[in-house]
Amino acid sequence: MEVFKGSFTQQEPIPDDAIDAAVAVMRHGRLHRYNTAGDEIAETALLEQEFAALVGAKYCLAVASGGYAMATALRAVGVKPGDKVLSNAFTLAPVPGAIAAVGAEPVFVDVTDGLVIDLDDLAGKLDQAKVLLLSHMRGHICDMDALMAMCDAAGVTVIEDCAHTMGAAWNGVASGRQGAIGCYSCQTYKHVNAGEGGLLVTDDAEMAARAIMLSGSYMLYEKHLAGPPPETFDRIKYETPNISGRMDNLRAALLRPQLRKLEAQVARWNERYFTLEAGMRHTPGLTVIERAAGESIVGSSIQFLLQGWAADKVRDVLRRCLARGVELKWFGAAEPLGFTSRYDSWRYAPSDPLPKSDAVLAGLIDMRVPLTFSIDDCTLIARIIREEVSAVYQQA
């Protein structure tokens, strides 16, 4: 019996040029983004400038995490305690966590079996909130043209959670650039690795100014190369609280060289993703998630559905695959485990039942695709999944 021997949590080493840049920061000791000498430009300010150029945004802010970026975005667009915010039923806990952090209440929207927000359900709920925090969960992007037309017509501001879509696009437009604000993560399991970190982009000068003040700029906002003009802060600086969550120069130094390699890394991820997808296609009982023609994806994880399967059969597949070294995660379990949880697990964010989403999540299986996997590894992993799903399916 074949067994996979690799690790699902092992990342590639930090590139040498990123290590050198980080060591240079440690040698001079000026890790705080506003602690510069002479005419020196902080690594963090350069990162913001470079990321804004990469995605085609006017303004960018580097912060401590993707979750902090989302909470800051919500505050920057004017969400107040007690307000309602629309969001996907299928996402990770930092998304409802960001809504809870500002004292707001989520209104969860159904997920389709394509793992994107259900536009029909969204249409029926647009009158319940003025903001949509849209999670491109696990890299799946909905029809953004249709979604933005709906939200614009209803006066709903869209914030995009792009934790899993840095480097992805919809019809050629970079993920995060359709809504008012795009938020990205630089955590270890995302597409650039600083351990933790986040980025926020927008074309709106006032939103950018509010975000910069919120992040803890004090009155040093003119040090932001990717910030709005100083006069934008004239009123905002007196009424926006400091909720410190800055990125430091050490993390920025690690990230800048990785951003330059992002396009090549995306191609490598996608080669692995489509190898896995091809190997799992036509497996009895297993449904591959079809990707929309408008998506340019980053295949850093892969999902499939065991539609209509009993919970004990799903657990059997997970157990059998794990025994052969393949670590799968299940978003349909009754209790949260690790990073997987359902919308009804977040008791700080009360929700109404969503039977359609429940049916999707009940059979939703998730797997990381680290770049430390070879193409041969992916072929083997797909073969193991195919064999074990087929074996359990035949027992049903």
Side-chain angles (χ1 to χ4, degrees):
M1 180 182 292
E2 293 178 302
V3 176
F4 176 63
K5 300 292 189 181
S7 169
F8 283 79
T9 56
Q10 180 59 56
Q11 308 305 303
E12 290 191 301
I14 298 296
D16 287 343
D17 49 356
I19 293 173
D20 291 343
V23 169
V25 171
M26 288 189 284
R27 289 196 188 284
H28 66 57
R30 294 184 294 278
L31 274 67
H32 191 276
R33 69 165 297 157
Y34 300 119
N35 178 204
T36 52
D39 59 359
E40 175 189 13
I41 300 174
E43 290 282 334
T44 312
L46 292 169
L47 171 68
E48 291 166 343
Q49 187 178 55
E50 290 161 4
F51 190 74
L54 180 69
V55 299
K58 287 184 179 179
Y59 311 117
C60 177
L61 174 67
V63 294
S65 71
Y68 183 90
M70 288 187 285
T72 300
L74 290 167
R75 291 185 172 101
V77 302
V79 175
K80 300 289 193 297
D83 287 354
K84 294 187 182 299
V85 175
L86 296 157
S87 195
N88 311 46
F90 173 47
T91 188
L92 292 179
V95 175
I99 296 171
V102 303
E105 301 175 12
V107 176
F108 290 115
V109 182
D110 267 322
V111 60
T112 71
D113 56 10
L115 305 189
V116 295
I117 194 167
D118 186 317
L119 296 185
D120 290 335
D121 192 42
L122 176 62
K125 294 175 176 175
L126 282 173
D127 61 350
Q128 297 184 38
K130 288 298 183 184
V131 174
L132 165 63
L133 178 52
L134 174 67
S135 176
H136 300 306
M137 177 61 172
R138 281 299 188 251
H140 295 271
I141 303 176
C142 73
D143 183 338
M144 289 300 296
D145 300 320
L147 180 138
M148 290 306 304
M150 291 168 53
C151 291
D152 288 346
V156 170
T157 300
V158 177
I159 297 169
E160 296 181 65
D161 163 31
C162 307
H164 304 154
T165 55
M166 182 188 290
W170 176 262
N171 283 339
V173 178
S175 183
R177 298 298 297 120
Q178 304 255 25
I181 299 179
C183 302
Y184 308 80
S185 174
C186 308
Q187 184 245 42
T188 286
Y189 296 117
K190 305 306 188 294
H191 301 161
V192 290
N193 178 10
E196 288 289 355
L199 294 159
L200 178 157
V201 298
T202 184
D203 286 348
D204 186 286
E206 184 168 322
M207 290 179 189
R210 288 191 183 281
I212 289 168
M213 294 301 299
L214 285 160
S215 74
S217 69
Y218 299 93
M219 297 302 148
L220 301 170
Y221 43 79
E222 292 189 51
K223 290 195 172 189
H224 287 250
L225 299 181
E231 58 269 20
T232 314
F233 295 84
D234 287 349
R235 173 177 52 82
I236 287 168
K237 65 186 179 183
Y238 296 111
E239 60 187 37
T240 306
N242 178 324
I243 307 175
S244 295
R246 298 169 295 269
M247 182 182 286
D248 57 76
N249 286 327
L250 184 57
R251 291 181 189 177
L254 289 170
L255 290 170
R256 291 179 63 212
Q258 293 182 61
L259 278 182
R260 294 193 285 270
K261 298 177 174 71
L262 180 60
E263 184 177 356
Q265 296 292 75
V266 168
R268 295 178 64 213
W269 261 308
N270 289 348
E271 186 180 9
R272 285 151 180 77
Y273 178 96
F274 288 115
T275 298
L276 287 160
E277 183 190 73
M280 292 190 295
R281 276 194 182 279
H282 310 302
T283 301
L286 182 152
T287 301
V288 168
I289 309 299
E290 302 296 346
R291 308 303 293 249
E295 278 187 287
S296 300
I297 76 164
V298 183
S300 56
S301 69
I302 192 165
Q303 295 72 42
F304 60 87
L305 296 174
L306 301 177
Q307 291 178 309
W309 284 46
D312 62 328
K313 297 298 184 183
V314 174
R315 283 191 287 266
D316 198 19
V317 168
L318 300 180
R319 179 186 59 77
R320 293 172 67 121
C321 286
L322 186 59
R324 297 180 66 181
V326 175
E327 186 177 343
L328 303 175
K329 302 298 182 182
W330 181 30
F331 276 90
E335 291 294 325
L337 180 66
F339 60 80
T340 61
S341 52
R342 298 191 317 210
Y343 68 94
D344 54 0
S345 301
W346 307 316
R347 295 179 187 174
Y348 53 84
S351 58
D352 295 324
L354 295 169
K356 181 177 179 179
S357 293
D358 293 341
V360 174
L361 297 176
L364 176 54
I365 307 301
D366 173 77
M367 189 183 81
R368 288 188 176 121
V369 184
L371 288 175
T372 47
F373 288 0
S374 68
I375 300 302
D376 286 344
D377 288 338
C378 293
T379 300
L380 171 59
I381 290 167
R383 188 160 61 242
I384 290 171
I385 293 171
R386 182 182 184 90
E387 290 173 1
E388 297 306 332
V389 168
S390 297
V392 176
Y393 184 72
Q394 288 166 9
Q395 295 171 3

